[in-house]
Amino acid sequence: MDSLLFLSARRLVAQRPLPALPAHLYPVLFQAAFLEGRAPVLQDLVAEWPFPVLNFQRIVGSRESLRDHSAKLCVQAVLVAVVEQLRRELEEPGRHSSRCRLRILDVTGLPDDASGRAPDGMSVWSGTVALAKACVEVSKQQRESREFQKRSAKRHKGRSGAATAAAAAAAPSPPSAGVDVHADFFVNRASYGILRDALQTGNSGPLRLKCREFQAEKLSVDGIVSLLKSLDPRGVRRVDLRFRNLGLTGLSVVLLHLSQFPDLRSLKLQYSNVDVRRTTPELVLGIRCLARELGKLPSLRELNLGSSRLSGNLRQVLCELQAPLESLELAFCSLLPADFAFLSQSFHAPSLKRLDLSGHDFSQSLLPPLRHLLEETSRSLLHLDLMECRLTDSHLPSLLASLRRCSRLRFLGLFGNALSTAGLKELLRQTAALKELRLVVYPFPLDCYKPGLHQRRSGSRWILEERLDRERLGAASAELGRMLENSGRAHVVWTYNPYGHRALDYFAL
């Protein structure tokens, strides 16, 4: 229920111009104007913002609020107001008529979307581009102001003599304090150019971009390195490089530059096309180089090497790390029993909160090593993903014996495994004792397919080739729901939709 203060703020932002207001009301007015989609009022508020910091998430609240259809326009309105304020400061240096005290604009945590598009909402690509364009615009305005001052000095020289002009030219103009914009950057080939220009021209300008999380998709090694070199390394907590066949050589080049980022806690390198299954002298040197560069990241706590074929080489890759990892994603990495043995005995195991081992065949020789690993991580593990691991009903008793020890588990992902409704019911009964479990993503039950279902193997995946019987699936889902309710666990979400939820992020664990 909204507070009386917020309800009053909603009424107030419905009118424009706003009356003179005390400073402590600005945050709630900003929240009301944002949620009501009143972009012009937001511009007015920012123009006289009485605090040095404006943090979107702190004021607006949930990410769901930022996904509203008007969010994009509201964010752009704030940027327009900031750019206009800086433009005035550049055109009228030394004047202090403005009441605006804003020096840090924090837009981190804006909604992200893997496709780069959010229908009727804020697109991450357009958000990054909007910030970059604003930075370039203000830098251009700064250059024009400096040129104008130089021309003015020359005219002054003609009227007052060389000595006076020299003194005027030597006297520095009052510097603008400017605004630091803290943001999460999402860049692909289309947005690369404008972000590169913004970072290279704006770092010393009035509008300075400060990166918290950097996600690049399908960029070349040179492009990635160019952007990394332009970032202020302080405060960058995550680098996420997606869908780029970097290989060992490319990864080593990128990591060479990441070693300058002292606060980097999360590194995601999925789909980097690293394949070290067939050891050669060159690959051995490459693995050593990769391990050495990873070891230069003292704050690293999350590592994603998804789809890298590391068979038998996990120890060599992780051997130089200085501190234990808390999140490790090794989906489709072709791991061997020796890799699991290393991980179970390593100093990472007791600290792991998130573990993704999707895409491994636990139907045979890897199941005992998995059980051992779960036992070693049981006191810390919060998130476990075992998608497409060829698990069947017959494997559940053995797996559940270890799962029940993971008393802090919040998320369990089993999508893509060959389990029946009866197997899922047993899974539900056995995991009901896990009091912190909140979300289970289960596979479509085998018995919920129409008659004639057959399976065939394709690589590491089971492909189910017949259409689902939606009526059976609905009945199975309803039965699981009743079981949850009867066991007092109705608040736990059991779903067969792997995309209908937001996965636990490392920084939220």
Side-chain angles (χ1 to χ4, degrees), residues 225-252:
V225 168
S226 174
L227 294 177
L228 292 178
K229 290 170 69 175
S230 300
L231 293 177
D232 181 350
R234 294 167 297 178
V236 178
R237 69 177 191 175
R238 169 175 286 156
V239 170
D240 186 348
L241 307 179
R242 299 186 177 187
F243 308 110
R244 182 60 202 171
N245 295 325
L246 297 172
L248 271 179
T249 302
L251 275 183
S252 297

PDB file of all heavy atoms in Angstrom, residues 225-252:
ATOM      1  N   VAL A 225      39.607  -5.025 -26.455  1.00  0.00           N
ATOM      2  CA  VAL A 225      40.770  -4.412 -25.804  1.00  0.00           C
ATOM      3  C   VAL A 225      40.689  -2.897 -25.878  1.00  0.00           C
ATOM      4  O   VAL A 225      41.002  -2.197 -24.908  1.00  0.00           O
ATOM      5  CB  VAL A 225      42.069  -4.929 -26.455  1.00  0.00           C
ATOM      6  CG1 VAL A 225      43.268  -4.104 -26.000  1.00  0.00           C
ATOM      7  CG2 VAL A 225      42.278  -6.397 -26.119  1.00  0.00           C
ATOM      8  N   SER A 226      40.251  -2.364 -27.010  1.00  0.00           N
ATOM      9  CA  SER A 226      40.136  -0.916 -27.163  1.00  0.00           C
ATOM     10  C   SER A 226      39.197  -0.315 -26.121  1.00  0.00           C
ATOM     11  O   SER A 226      39.499   0.714 -25.502  1.00  0.00           O
ATOM     12  CB  SER A 226      39.631  -0.580 -28.571  1.00  0.00           C
ATOM     13  OG  SER A 226      39.386   0.803 -28.711  1.00  0.00           O
ATOM     14  N   LEU A 227      38.065  -0.956 -25.896  1.00  0.00           N
ATOM     15  CA  LEU A 227      37.120  -0.454 -24.900  1.00  0.00           C
ATOM     16  C   LEU A 227      37.652  -0.630 -23.484  1.00  0.00           C
ATOM     17  O   LEU A 227      37.507   0.263 -22.636  1.00  0.00           O
ATOM     18  CB  LEU A 227      35.774  -1.161 -25.054  1.00  0.00           C
ATOM     19  CG  LEU A 227      35.008  -0.875 -26.353  1.00  0.00           C
ATOM     20  CD1 LEU A 227      33.725  -1.702 -26.392  1.00  0.00           C
ATOM     21  CD2 LEU A 227      34.679   0.601 -26.477  1.00  0.00           C
ATOM     22  N   LEU A 228      38.258  -1.788 -23.203  1.00  0.00           N
ATOM     23  CA  LEU A 228      38.796  -2.023 -21.861  1.00  0.00           C
ATOM     24  C   LEU A 228      39.864  -0.996 -21.505  1.00  0.00           C
ATOM     25  O   LEU A 228      39.929  -0.511 -20.369  1.00  0.00           O
ATOM     26  CB  LEU A 228      39.374  -3.431 -21.758  1.00  0.00           C
ATOM     27  CG  LEU A 228      38.375  -4.592 -21.814  1.00  0.00           C
ATOM     28  CD1 LEU A 228      39.111  -5.927 -21.758  1.00  0.00           C
ATOM     29  CD2 LEU A 228      37.357  -4.501 -20.680  1.00  0.00           C
ATOM     30  N   LYS A 229      40.696  -0.635 -22.474  1.00  0.00           N
ATOM     31  CA  LYS A 229      41.754   0.340 -22.227  1.00  0.00           C
ATOM     32  C   LYS A 229      41.188   1.731 -21.964  1.00  0.00           C
ATOM     33  O   LYS A 229      41.846   2.563 -21.331  1.00  0.00           O
ATOM     34  CB  LYS A 229      42.714   0.379 -23.418  1.00  0.00           C
ATOM     35  CG  LYS A 229      43.569  -0.880 -23.552  1.00  0.00           C
ATOM     36  CD  LYS A 229      44.325  -0.919 -24.860  1.00  0.00           C
ATOM     37  CE  LYS A 229      45.415   0.143 -24.910  1.00  0.00           C
ATOM     38  NZ  LYS A 229      46.234   0.003 -26.153  1.00  0.00           N
ATOM     39  N   SER A 230      39.979   1.990 -22.455  1.00  0.00           N
ATOM     40  CA  SER A 230      39.369   3.313 -22.279  1.00  0.00           C
ATOM     41  C   SER A 230      38.562   3.419 -20.998  1.00  0.00           C
ATOM     42  O   SER A 230      38.168   4.521 -20.603  1.00  0.00           O
ATOM     43  CB  SER A 230      38.467   3.632 -23.479  1.00  0.00           C
ATOM     44  OG  SER A 230      39.198   3.643 -24.687  1.00  0.00           O
ATOM     45  N   LEU A 231      38.281   2.278 -20.348  1.00  0.00           N
ATOM     46  CA  LEU A 231      37.502   2.302 -19.114  1.00  0.00           C
ATOM     47  C   LEU A 231      38.361   2.746 -17.940  1.00  0.00           C
ATOM     48  O   LEU A 231      39.560   2.473 -17.895  1.00  0.00           O
ATOM     49  CB  LEU A 231      36.934   0.913 -18.809  1.00  0.00           C
ATOM     50  CG  LEU A 231      35.876   0.334 -19.748  1.00  0.00           C
ATOM     51  CD1 LEU A 231      35.517  -1.071 -19.297  1.00  0.00           C
ATOM     52  CD2 LEU A 231      34.638   1.211 -19.786  1.00  0.00           C
ATOM     53  N   ASP A 232      37.729   3.410 -16.993  1.00  0.00           N
ATOM     54  CA  ASP A 232      38.365   3.634 -15.702  1.00  0.00           C
ATOM     55  C   ASP A 232      38.285   2.299 -14.949  1.00  0.00           C
ATOM     56  O   ASP A 232      37.190   1.832 -14.637  1.00  0.00           O
ATOM     57  CB  ASP A 232      37.619   4.729 -14.937  1.00  0.00           C
ATOM     58  CG  ASP A 232      38.241   5.027 -13.583  1.00  0.00           C
ATOM     59  OD1 ASP A 232      39.134   4.261 -13.148  1.00  0.00           O
ATOM     60  OD2 ASP A 232      37.839   6.017 -12.957  1.00  0.00           O
ATOM     61  N   PRO A 233      39.410   1.641 -14.683  1.00  0.00           N
ATOM     62  CA  PRO A 233      39.360   0.296 -14.091  1.00  0.00           C
ATOM     63  C   PRO A 233      38.784   0.252 -12.689  1.00  0.00           C
ATOM     64  O   PRO A 233      38.312  -0.794 -12.248  1.00  0.00           O
ATOM     65  CB  PRO A 233      40.831  -0.146 -14.106  1.00  0.00           C
ATOM     66  CG  PRO A 233      41.620   1.111 -14.132  1.00  0.00           C
ATOM     67  CD  PRO A 233      40.792   2.091 -14.924  1.00  0.00           C
ATOM     68  N   ARG A 234      38.795   1.372 -12.004  1.00  0.00           N
ATOM     69  CA  ARG A 234      38.261   1.383 -10.641  1.00  0.00           C
ATOM     70  C   ARG A 234      36.741   1.256 -10.678  1.00  0.00           C
ATOM     71  O   ARG A 234      36.059   1.987 -11.369  1.00  0.00           O
ATOM     72  CB  ARG A 234      38.650   2.673  -9.928  1.00  0.00           C
ATOM     73  CG  ARG A 234      40.139   2.818  -9.678  1.00  0.00           C
ATOM     74  CD  ARG A 234      40.482   4.233  -9.263  1.00  0.00           C
ATOM     75  NE  ARG A 234      40.166   5.185 -10.315  1.00  0.00           N
ATOM     76  CZ  ARG A 234      40.320   6.486 -10.204  1.00  0.00           C
ATOM     77  NH1 ARG A 234      40.782   7.004  -9.080  1.00  0.00           N
ATOM     78  NH2 ARG A 234      40.002   7.290 -11.216  1.00  0.00           N
ATOM     79  N   GLY A 235      36.227   0.340  -9.914  1.00  0.00           N
ATOM     80  CA  GLY A 235      34.781   0.187  -9.804  1.00  0.00           C
ATOM     81  C   GLY A 235      34.167  -0.812 -10.769  1.00  0.00           C
ATOM     82  O   GLY A 235      32.990  -1.143 -10.638  1.00  0.00           O
ATOM     83  N   VAL A 236      34.926  -1.316 -11.741  1.00  0.00           N
ATOM     84  CA  VAL A 236      34.389  -2.333 -12.655  1.00  0.00           C
ATOM     85  C   VAL A 236      34.342  -3.661 -11.910  1.00  0.00           C
ATOM     86  O   VAL A 236      35.375  -4.205 -11.543  1.00  0.00           O
ATOM     87  CB  VAL A 236      35.246  -2.466 -13.927  1.00  0.00           C
ATOM     88  CG1 VAL A 236      34.684  -3.568 -14.827  1.00  0.00           C
ATOM     89  CG2 VAL A 236      35.292  -1.147 -14.683  1.00  0.00           C
ATOM     90  N   ARG A 237      33.151  -4.176 -11.697  1.00  0.00           N
ATOM     91  CA  ARG A 237      33.022  -5.389 -10.896  1.00  0.00           C
ATOM     92  C   ARG A 237      32.761  -6.630 -11.751  1.00  0.00           C
ATOM     93  O   ARG A 237      32.941  -7.752 -11.282  1.00  0.00           O
ATOM     94  CB  ARG A 237      31.905  -5.241  -9.869  1.00  0.00           C
ATOM     95  CG  ARG A 237      30.495  -5.203 -10.444  1.00  0.00           C
ATOM     96  CD  ARG A 237      29.452  -5.128  -9.348  1.00  0.00           C
ATOM     97  NE  ARG A 237      28.098  -5.341  -9.856  1.00  0.00           N
ATOM     98  CZ  ARG A 237      27.017  -5.430  -9.090  1.00  0.00           C
ATOM     99  NH1 ARG A 237      27.136  -5.311  -7.777  1.00  0.00           N
ATOM    100  NH2 ARG A 237      25.828  -5.625  -9.627  1.00  0.00           N
ATOM    101  N   ARG A 238      32.296  -6.456 -12.990  1.00  0.00           N
ATOM    102  CA  ARG A 238      32.020  -7.614 -13.851  1.00  0.00           C
ATOM    103  C   ARG A 238      32.383  -7.301 -15.296  1.00  0.00           C
ATOM    104  O   ARG A 238      32.115  -6.209 -15.795  1.00  0.00           O
ATOM    105  CB  ARG A 238      30.550  -8.013 -13.774  1.00  0.00           C
ATOM    106  CG  ARG A 238      30.134  -9.038 -14.838  1.00  0.00           C
ATOM    107  CD  ARG A 238      28.707  -9.497 -14.652  1.00  0.00           C
ATOM    108  NE  ARG A 238      28.596 -10.405 -13.522  1.00  0.00           N
ATOM    109  CZ  ARG A 238      27.480 -10.615 -12.836  1.00  0.00           C
ATOM    110  NH1 ARG A 238      26.378  -9.957 -13.152  1.00  0.00           N
ATOM    111  NH2 ARG A 238      27.471 -11.471 -11.827  1.00  0.00           N
ATOM    112  N   VAL A 239      32.990  -8.287 -15.955  1.00  0.00           N
ATOM    113  CA  VAL A 239      33.211  -8.254 -17.403  1.00  0.00           C
ATOM    114  C   VAL A 239      32.606  -9.529 -17.974  1.00  0.00           C
ATOM    115  O   VAL A 239      32.910 -10.640 -17.519  1.00  0.00           O
ATOM    116  CB  VAL A 239      34.707  -8.152 -17.751  1.00  0.00           C
ATOM    117  CG1 VAL A 239      34.926  -8.366 -19.248  1.00  0.00           C
ATOM    118  CG2 VAL A 239      35.254  -6.792 -17.323  1.00  0.00           C
ATOM    119  N   ASP A 240      31.732  -9.361 -18.958  1.00  0.00           N
ATOM    120  CA  ASP A 240      30.998 -10.476 -19.554  1.00  0.00           C
ATOM    121  C   ASP A 240      31.205 -10.418 -21.067  1.00  0.00           C
ATOM    122  O   ASP A 240      30.713  -9.503 -21.734  1.00  0.00           O
ATOM    123  CB  ASP A 240      29.513 -10.340 -19.204  1.00  0.00           C
ATOM    124  CG  ASP A 240      28.678 -11.533 -19.668  1.00  0.00           C
ATOM    125  OD1 ASP A 240      29.197 -12.340 -20.451  1.00  0.00           O
ATOM    126  OD2 ASP A 240      27.507 -11.634 -19.251  1.00  0.00           O
ATOM    127  N   LEU A 241      31.967 -11.373 -21.612  1.00  0.00           N
ATOM    128  CA  LEU A 241      32.282 -11.408 -23.044  1.00  0.00           C
ATOM    129  C   LEU A 241      31.558 -12.605 -23.653  1.00  0.00           C
ATOM    130  O   LEU A 241      31.904 -13.751 -23.380  1.00  0.00           O
ATOM    131  CB  LEU A 241      33.787 -11.523 -23.260  1.00  0.00           C
ATOM    132  CG  LEU A 241      34.640 -10.470 -22.523  1.00  0.00           C
ATOM    133  CD1 LEU A 241      36.116 -10.704 -22.787  1.00  0.00           C
ATOM    134  CD2 LEU A 241      34.235  -9.055 -22.942  1.00  0.00           C
ATOM    135  N   ARG A 242      30.574 -12.322 -24.494  1.00  0.00           N
ATOM    136  CA  ARG A 242      29.698 -13.379 -24.987  1.00  0.00           C
ATOM    137  C   ARG A 242      29.869 -13.637 -26.478  1.00  0.00           C
ATOM    138  O   ARG A 242      30.120 -12.727 -27.258  1.00  0.00           O
ATOM    139  CB  ARG A 242      28.228 -13.002 -24.751  1.00  0.00           C
ATOM    140  CG  ARG A 242      27.855 -12.816 -23.299  1.00  0.00           C
ATOM    141  CD  ARG A 242      26.368 -12.583 -23.171  1.00  0.00           C
ATOM    142  NE  ARG A 242      25.983 -12.468 -21.774  1.00  0.00           N
ATOM    143  CZ  ARG A 242      24.724 -12.404 -21.364  1.00  0.00           C
ATOM    144  NH1 ARG A 242      23.748 -12.442 -22.229  1.00  0.00           N
ATOM    145  NH2 ARG A 242      24.443 -12.296 -20.080  1.00  0.00           N
ATOM    146  N   PHE A 243      29.682 -14.894 -26.832  1.00  0.00           N
ATOM    147  CA  PHE A 243      29.559 -15.309 -28.230  1.00  0.00           C
ATOM    148  C   PHE A 243      30.706 -14.797 -29.094  1.00  0.00           C
ATOM    149  O   PHE A 243      30.522 -14.252 -30.166  1.00  0.00           O
ATOM    150  CB  PHE A 243      28.223 -14.824 -28.818  1.00  0.00           C
ATOM    151  CG  PHE A 243      27.041 -15.205 -27.993  1.00  0.00           C
ATOM    152  CD1 PHE A 243      26.327 -14.251 -27.287  1.00  0.00           C
ATOM    153  CD2 PHE A 243      26.653 -16.532 -27.890  1.00  0.00           C
ATOM    154  CE1 PHE A 243      25.242 -14.612 -26.515  1.00  0.00           C
ATOM    155  CE2 PHE A 243      25.557 -16.893 -27.116  1.00  0.00           C
ATOM    156  CZ  PHE A 243      24.850 -15.932 -26.426  1.00  0.00           C
ATOM    157  N   ARG A 244      31.914 -14.977 -28.588  1.00  0.00           N
ATOM    158  CA  ARG A 244      33.075 -14.559 -29.367  1.00  0.00           C
ATOM    159  C   ARG A 244      34.110 -15.674 -29.307  1.00  0.00           C
ATOM    160  O   ARG A 244      34.525 -16.081 -28.228  1.00  0.00           O
ATOM    161  CB  ARG A 244      33.670 -13.255 -28.804  1.00  0.00           C
ATOM    162  CG  ARG A 244      34.855 -12.746 -29.596  1.00  0.00           C
ATOM    163  CD  ARG A 244      34.490 -12.445 -31.027  1.00  0.00           C
ATOM    164  NE  ARG A 244      35.642 -12.449 -31.903  1.00  0.00           N
ATOM    165  CZ  ARG A 244      35.573 -12.391 -33.227  1.00  0.00           C
ATOM    166  NH1 ARG A 244      34.407 -12.325 -33.803  1.00  0.00           N
ATOM    167  NH2 ARG A 244      36.652 -12.401 -33.960  1.00  0.00           N
ATOM    168  N   ASN A 245      34.509 -16.171 -30.462  1.00  0.00           N
ATOM    169  CA  ASN A 245      35.480 -17.261 -30.514  1.00  0.00           C
ATOM    170  C   ASN A 245      36.887 -16.739 -30.239  1.00  0.00           C
ATOM    171  O   ASN A 245      37.728 -16.650 -31.134  1.00  0.00           O
ATOM    172  CB  ASN A 245      35.414 -17.955 -31.882  1.00  0.00           C
ATOM    173  CG  ASN A 245      34.080 -18.629 -32.104  1.00  0.00           C
ATOM    174  OD1 ASN A 245      33.481 -19.147 -31.168  1.00  0.00           O
ATOM    175  ND2 ASN A 245      33.606 -18.617 -33.326  1.00  0.00           N
ATOM    176  N   LEU A 246      37.135 -16.399 -29.005  1.00  0.00           N
ATOM    177  CA  LEU A 246      38.421 -15.807 -28.649  1.00  0.00           C
ATOM    178  C   LEU A 246      39.548 -16.831 -28.677  1.00  0.00           C
ATOM    179  O   LEU A 246      40.677 -16.517 -29.049  1.00  0.00           O
ATOM    180  CB  LEU A 246      38.334 -15.178 -27.256  1.00  0.00           C
ATOM    181  CG  LEU A 246      37.358 -14.010 -27.107  1.00  0.00           C
ATOM    182  CD1 LEU A 246      37.241 -13.611 -25.644  1.00  0.00           C
ATOM    183  CD2 LEU A 246      37.777 -12.817 -27.940  1.00  0.00           C
ATOM    184  N   GLY A 247      39.252 -18.063 -28.258  1.00  0.00           N
ATOM    185  CA  GLY A 247      40.300 -19.063 -28.169  1.00  0.00           C
ATOM    186  C   GLY A 247      41.278 -18.737 -27.051  1.00  0.00           C
ATOM    187  O   GLY A 247      41.185 -17.696 -26.383  1.00  0.00           O
ATOM    188  N   LEU A 248      42.220 -19.625 -26.835  1.00  0.00           N
ATOM    189  CA  LEU A 248      43.204 -19.407 -25.769  1.00  0.00           C
ATOM    190  C   LEU A 248      44.006 -18.145 -25.986  1.00  0.00           C
ATOM    191  O   LEU A 248      44.242 -17.365 -25.060  1.00  0.00           O
ATOM    192  CB  LEU A 248      44.147 -20.615 -25.689  1.00  0.00           C
ATOM    193  CG  LEU A 248      43.733 -21.779 -24.781  1.00  0.00           C
ATOM    194  CD1 LEU A 248      44.766 -22.878 -24.855  1.00  0.00           C
ATOM    195  CD2 LEU A 248      43.553 -21.305 -23.341  1.00  0.00           C
ATOM    196  N   THR A 249      44.444 -17.921 -27.224  1.00  0.00           N
ATOM    197  CA  THR A 249      45.276 -16.743 -27.514  1.00  0.00           C
ATOM    198  C   THR A 249      44.509 -15.457 -27.265  1.00  0.00           C
ATOM    199  O   THR A 249      45.007 -14.534 -26.600  1.00  0.00           O
ATOM    200  CB  THR A 249      45.768 -16.789 -28.973  1.00  0.00           C
ATOM    201  OG1 THR A 249      46.497 -17.993 -29.190  1.00  0.00           O
ATOM    202  CG2 THR A 249      46.661 -15.603 -29.268  1.00  0.00           C
ATOM    203  N   GLY A 250      43.290 -15.375 -27.787  1.00  0.00           N
ATOM    204  CA  GLY A 250      42.494 -14.171 -27.594  1.00  0.00           C
ATOM    205  C   GLY A 250      42.168 -13.913 -26.137  1.00  0.00           C
ATOM    206  O   GLY A 250      42.220 -12.768 -25.666  1.00  0.00           O
ATOM    207  N   LEU A 251      41.833 -14.994 -25.407  1.00  0.00           N
ATOM    208  CA  LEU A 251      41.539 -14.826 -23.987  1.00  0.00           C
ATOM    209  C   LEU A 251      42.745 -14.298 -23.227  1.00  0.00           C
ATOM    210  O   LEU A 251      42.614 -13.437 -22.345  1.00  0.00           O
ATOM    211  CB  LEU A 251      41.102 -16.157 -23.376  1.00  0.00           C
ATOM    212  CG  LEU A 251      39.627 -16.541 -23.509  1.00  0.00           C
ATOM    213  CD1 LEU A 251      39.362 -17.846 -22.783  1.00  0.00           C
ATOM    214  CD2 LEU A 251      38.735 -15.445 -22.958  1.00  0.00           C
ATOM    215  N   SER A 252      43.912 -14.800 -23.551  1.00  0.00           N
ATOM    216  CA  SER A 252      45.119 -14.345 -22.861  1.00  0.00           C
ATOM    217  C   SER A 252      45.375 -12.867 -23.122  1.00  0.00           C
ATOM    218  O   SER A 252      45.786 -12.127 -22.222  1.00  0.00           O
ATOM    219  CB  SER A 252      46.324 -15.182 -23.315  1.00  0.00           C
ATOM    220  OG  SER A 252      46.148 -16.544 -22.947  1.00  0.00           O
TER     221      SER A 252
END
